[in-house]
Amino acid sequence: MTVVYACDDNYVKLTAVSAVSLLKHNTGAEIILVGCRLKADAIETIKSRVEKFGGTFRYVDVSTNIDELQAMGACSYVSYAVYSLIFIGELLPDLSGKILYLDCDTLIVDSIAGIFDTNLHGNPLALAPDAAHPAYKRVISLPENKTYYNTGVTLIDLDEWRKRRCTERLMEELKSPHGRNPLGDQDIIVRVLNDEITELDRRWNFLSQYILYGRKERPAIYHFSGN
């Protein structure tokens, strides 16, 4: 089981908490931290927690890729680390098959082994629907009949991702956008890859807004998103 987090120095403690919660329910997971020039002590904070709770750890720097985005003027988000998902295929050239990307504002409360059994039906990724208001689709120029997804929990088939040139296509969209991207990489991924996304069960990405809606699923991953 390989799980990837991306964060900057401001979210190190949150990432460490999420990783520990993951390892308490999923012994021996491999944790890959992706960061943009993270400080050495920040990396060590997460590494020490991961190893203490029985996981394996490695750090991958995404600075070169983020520098390219900044030079394009494409980054519209406070934390550039959130764009790491766009480059996932080339950041991990030694890996193949399924991996899981998690936002750092997640809390894992059960085994997530089942998420890796998800049938992607030949698609490069699987996402759960977002809780955003339907009107948000107009903001990012997504057709009303399409689903708006949340990328905070993303199951990725690296082989299909590379085969379909997902990184290259997302970069092309960044260079010549067909809509606005207030939520950075999420909006871009949802708009460009919408027809190639398999829908995940919401228990794998239980957004905090769902609590307000009274949903009754038994979550495996809580995602504290939005206000």
Side-chain angles (χ1 to χ4, degrees):
M1 178 186 297
T2 299
V3 178
V4 179
Y5 288 94
C7 79
D8 59 21
D9 289 311
N10 296 316
Y11 287 87
V12 167
K13 290 182 180 179
L14 263 181
T15 303
V17 169
S18 182
V20 168
S21 73
L22 169 74
L23 290 164
K24 288 179 72 174
H25 298 279
N26 301 271
T27 305
E30 177 187 22
I31 305 294
I32 299 176
L33 176 64
V34 176
C36 182
R37 300 186 185 89
L38 276 181
K39 296 175 183 175
D41 59 344
I43 298 171
E44 181 58 31
T45 293
I46 298 174
K47 180 177 184 289
S48 62
R49 268 64 173 188
V50 168
E51 293 179 345
K52 178 180 178 180
F53 284 86
T56 60
F57 176 88
R58 65 166 153 152
Y59 173 68
V60 177
D61 192 87
V62 72
S63 302
T64 301
N65 306 85
I66 299 304
D67 287 345
E68 181 182 356
L69 291 185
Q70 289 180 288
M72 290 165 47
C75 291
S76 60
Y77 212 76
V78 175
S79 174
Y80 295 135
V82 300
Y83 288 89
S84 301
L85 187 54
I86 290 175
F87 304 104
I88 196 70
E90 62 186 71
L91 289 174
L92 306 172
D94 59 315
L95 295 183
S96 60
K98 293 176 183 174
I99 64 167
L100 185 67
Y101 167 85
L102 291 179
D103 274 359
C104 58
D105 53 355
T106 52
L107 187 71
I108 294 81
V109 295
D110 203 349
S111 168
I112 60 169
I115 196 172
F116 289 90
D117 295 329
T118 301
N119 186 343
L120 296 182
H121 304 287
N123 289 323
L125 71 167
L127 301 170
D130 196 88
H133 192 282
Y136 186 69
K137 296 178 186 179
R138 294 196 291 271
V139 174
I140 68 166
S141 301
L142 184 70
E144 291 190 10
N145 65 332
K146 301 294 185 181
T147 301
Y148 184 71
Y149 295 98
N150 184 281
T151 57
V153 178
T154 304
L155 181 66
I156 304 161
D157 183 326
L158 288 171
D159 301 313
E160 279 298 320
W161 182 277
R162 295 175 182 126
K163 178 181 176 182
R164 297 189 185 216
R165 299 179 60 254
C166 291
T167 293
E168 292 83 353
R169 291 160 59 197
L170 294 168
M171 286 296 289
E172 289 169 8
E173 175 66 17
L174 276 165
K175 293 174 183 176
S176 302
H178 292 84
R180 296 167 56 196
N181 308 308
L183 294 179
D185 67 320
Q186 179 168 285
D187 295 334
I188 299 161
I189 290 170
V190 170
R191 189 168 59 242
V192 174
L193 304 178
N194 199 272
D195 293 330
E196 301 163 76
I197 296 172
T198 296
E199 187 167 312
L200 272 181
D201 190 289
R202 285 176 170 85
R203 75 180 298 259
W204 301 121
N205 187 2
F206 196 86
L207 302 175
S208 46
Q209 294 96 320
Y210 292 160
I211 297 171
L212 301 177
Y213 300 159
R215 298 193 68 94
K216 302 299 184 183
E217 291 97 334
R218 181 190 173 197
I221 303 174
Y222 283 101
H223 183 189
F224 299 98
S225 60
N227 294 332

